[in-house]
Amino acid sequence: MSSDSDFGQIQVGIIGGSGLYDLDGLTDVRRLNVPTPYGDPSDTLVVGSLAGVQVAFLPRHGRDHRITPTHVPARANIHALKSLGVRQVISVSAVGSLREDFRPGDLVVPDQIVDRTGPRRGTSFFDGNVVVHVPFGEPFCTRLRPELVNAARAGSPATVHPSGTYCCMEGPQFSTRAESELYRSWGLDIIGMTAVPEAKLAREAELCYAGLALVTDYDCWRADHEDVSAKGVAAQMRENSAAAKASLATLIKSLDVDAECSCHGVLAESVITPLSALSDQDRERHRVLLGKYLAKAG
Ligand SMILES: [Zn+2]
């Protein structure tokens, strides 16, 4: 198997959300600064071996949780993982529940997304002289998702919901009650602030991408329940992070790290601009994402 990495074969990327700032059980740990054409990632990447698999871990908001959802450098984060040779990414995040039976402490492996974010997030790697339209009907990898569901069920005692629609809001404020009720009337299941643009960028980077959403609260729609607060979320996240770590450890042990997937060839049918028309500057900017296609185009 080939890799673009200068650091050895790193097979799996894990992006940690609120409450998950490190991984247990990593050995041979190195910290890597990985600059990208889109700036620096949220933090140094922690690379190490987990059950014999080379894993790169990145805390989405930084180790000290200093980056708001709006300002997460998602393009740099995904590009950095791609440049290390990663082909599969698990994204962990804290979410509110929009339905009674998704309880605080439960895990959800979402299968759909509704994007309610604003225009301030860089949602594509291809924002200049290359036009790319990737398919996004299934925003999460349909091969990796069931593997994550199985691992979460086997690895943690938490209730695991095998599907759900993730409403991605802009934040940083939580929803109004009217918004929360609106999302519920739309049939959306969980609400968070980070799946977009991360999932879109993972698709553009030809990465298998699945999300592990940890329910921390009932947002603000439930009359007999305290409204969501940052302190309440943090307390529940401490409990949830153990379930997340157990799920991830189980997944890594069972994952086929060399699996071929349709995600890895998405750009073959998605780039509209003839690659032969790219300037040297654009070829260099997109070398990590388009390299194999540029080599064919000559
Ligand atoms: Zn895939």
Side-chain angles (χ1 to χ4, degrees), residues 141 143 208 261-263:
C141 171
R143 181 194 57 79
C208 294
C261 187
S262 57
C263 300

Side-chain angles (χ1 to χ4, degrees), residues 87-88 140-145 203 206-209 259-264:
R87 287 160 35 108
Q88 310 192 57
F140 299 98
C141 171
T142 54
R143 181 194 57 79
L144 186 55
R145 274 191 62 254
R203 180 60 48 79
E206 300 189 315
L207 299 172
C208 294
Y209 176 90
E260 293 299 330
C261 187
S262 57
C263 300
H264 303 146

Side-chain angles (χ1 to χ4, degrees), residues 183-257:
Y183 302 145
R184 277 166 50 73
S185 76
W186 288 351
L188 312 186
D189 301 306
I190 50 178
I191 183 160
M193 299 179 188
T194 55
V196 178
E198 207 175 81
K200 293 182 177 183
L201 296 166
R203 180 60 48 79
E204 286 189 346
E206 300 189 315
L207 299 172
C208 294
Y209 176 90
L212 184 64
L214 317 179
V215 179
T216 54
D217 56 83
Y218 276 115
D219 204 29
C220 62
W221 58 269
R222 203 157 173 262
D224 62 343
H225 200 268
E226 210 170 286
D227 285 357
V228 57
S229 70
K231 267 196 172 164
V233 166
Q236 181 64 53
M237 270 310 297
R238 280 192 287 278
E239 280 181 39
N240 290 5
S241 72
K245 287 176 178 177
S247 302
L248 292 169
T250 304
L251 178 70
I252 297 297
K253 281 182 202 144
S254 61
L255 191 64
D256 178 358
V257 292

Side-chain angles (χ1 to χ4, degrees), residues 11 14 23 41 57 73 81 120 127 130 135 189 211 225-226 232 253 260:
Q11 292 133 325
I14 296 172
L23 278 184
F57 176 80
L81 291 172
R120 288 188 289 168
D127 56 353
V130 188
D189 301 306
H225 200 268
E226 210 170 286
K253 281 182 202 144
E260 293 299 330

